[in-house]
Amino acid sequence: MRYHNITHDDMLNGEGLRTVLWVAGCTHQCENCHNPITWDINGGVLFDEAAERELFSEGSKGYISGITFSGGDPLHPENREEVTRLAKKYKEKCPKKNIWLYTGFLWETVSNLPVMEYVDVVIDGRFVEELKDPQLHWRGSSNQRVIDVQATLKKGEVVPYNYE
């Protein structure tokens, strides 16, 4: 897997202060995407042991709420296995922290992926310029959903994440 950046102390990509892994690769290529540099699956740099140490070191700090996988798309077919491994490892090392994941795929098409066992919140759906709304929490357009993954898996229907 390749990535573009690991952001420390991020407040925009999930609740609380977060560590964000920006992976390379996106098949959606939404018009006016805020991060088109991440679309190329061969872009960025190789996610190696040093990057993994940085991700877990930053993500385990006491004041950090959790980690967020973004990009690009963490659920790009070429990223799924590595993102699942990292999510599982993070849950084992930091069980009291949470994992957020941004994807352009709809929940209904990715809900059965193994990574969902470890993810707490998913923001799903492509960014749609015509539905852009800067007042929305943690999403760019009104078609995107902020989903409580574990409650959704338990209930069998989409449960919105309760953040208010």
Side-chain angles (χ1 to χ4, degrees), residues 41-93:
I41 193 69
N42 297 308
V45 296
L46 185 65
F47 187 82
D48 59 10
E49 289 180 22
E52 185 170 329
R53 280 192 303 275
E54 179 183 353
L55 180 68
F56 283 97
S57 173
E58 292 299 319
S60 66
K61 291 180 176 177
Y63 60 87
I64 294 294
S65 299
I67 62 172
T68 298
F69 294 103
S70 192
D73 195 330
L75 299 184
H76 182 290
E78 292 187 37
N79 292 333
R80 291 176 182 183
E81 186 176 325
E82 183 68 357
V83 168
T84 300
R85 182 188 73 78
L86 291 169
K88 179 181 182 200
K89 185 173 181 178
Y90 189 73
K91 276 295 184 186
E92 290 168 353
K93 288 184 168 273

Side-chain angles (χ1 to χ4, degrees), residues 1-7 20-25 38 40-48 50-52 54 70 79:
M1 182 176 77
R2 300 181 70 80
Y3 77 109
H4 285 269
N5 194 22
I6 297 172
T7 305
V20 182
L21 175 63
W22 302 90
V23 301
T38 64
D40 183 0
I41 193 69
N42 297 308
V45 296
L46 185 65
F47 187 82
D48 59 10
E52 185 170 329
E54 179 183 353
S70 192
N79 292 333

Side-chain angles (χ1 to χ4, degrees), residues 74-124:
L75 299 184
H76 182 290
E78 292 187 37
N79 292 333
R80 291 176 182 183
E81 186 176 325
E82 183 68 357
V83 168
T84 300
R85 182 188 73 78
L86 291 169
K88 179 181 182 200
K89 185 173 181 178
Y90 189 73
K91 276 295 184 186
E92 290 168 353
K93 288 184 168 273
C94 303
K96 295 185 189 290
K97 296 182 184 270
N98 58 54
I99 297 174
W100 286 48
L101 186 146
Y102 283 79
T103 182
F105 293 101
L106 292 176
W107 168 256
E108 291 76 9
T109 66
V110 296
S111 61
N112 290 327
L113 293 176
V115 69
M116 295 309 168
E117 179 180 341
Y118 312 107
V119 174
D120 298 289
V121 177
V122 162
I123 294 80
D124 80 333

